[in-house]
Amino acid sequence: MMDPFEIEIGPEEAHETHAVGLLLVRAFGSAVEKVLVEELRRTGGLTLSLVARMDSEVAGVIAFSDVRVEGLDSHSPLGALAPVAVHPDYQ
């Protein structure tokens, strides 16, 4: 096992989507966040998904998505940071 301080962080790769889903279920104890991220991914609303890798395994994930606030007269893009998850073994 790699030193716990040796973490690689980078964009989620296509082959990691299943591992990210499993991580979300383990970290939150339900599939709610997994389904949310899958829906954001499906609709193009997932702006950025970063994963933390330890020993080439997904150990954490942080996701950003576009947000629109109803009634807000703004042309500035808004974003949401969610979910943030860490594998239970590293929490």
Side-chain angles (χ1 to χ4, degrees):
M1 184 169 158
M2 108 188 320
D3 182 318
F5 296 104
E6 291 184 42
I7 301 170
E8 175 194 345
I9 298 174
E12 177 186 321
E13 297 179 11
H15 71 275
E16 295 174 314
T17 58
H18 181 72
V20 167
L22 292 175
L23 171 77
L24 291 169
V25 171
R26 290 203 61 200
F28 289 100
S30 78
V32 172
E33 285 77 10
K34 174 184 179 282
V35 171
L36 169 67
V37 170
E38 288 172 346
E39 184 67 10
L40 288 168
R41 199 179 280 125
R42 185 186 71 75
T43 62
L46 189 62
T47 307
L48 177 64
S49 179
L50 297 173
V51 295
R53 299 176 192 93
M54 294 180 67
D55 289 333
S56 300
E57 298 293 323
V58 175
V61 65
I62 183 169
F64 299 87
S65 58
D66 294 327
V67 175
R68 257 193 321 188
V69 178
E70 198 169 311
L72 181 65
D73 186 24
S74 173
H75 299 288
S76 299
L78 299 174
L81 165 62
V84 175
V86 175
H87 190 287
D89 290 348
Y90 304 110
Q91 292 180 2

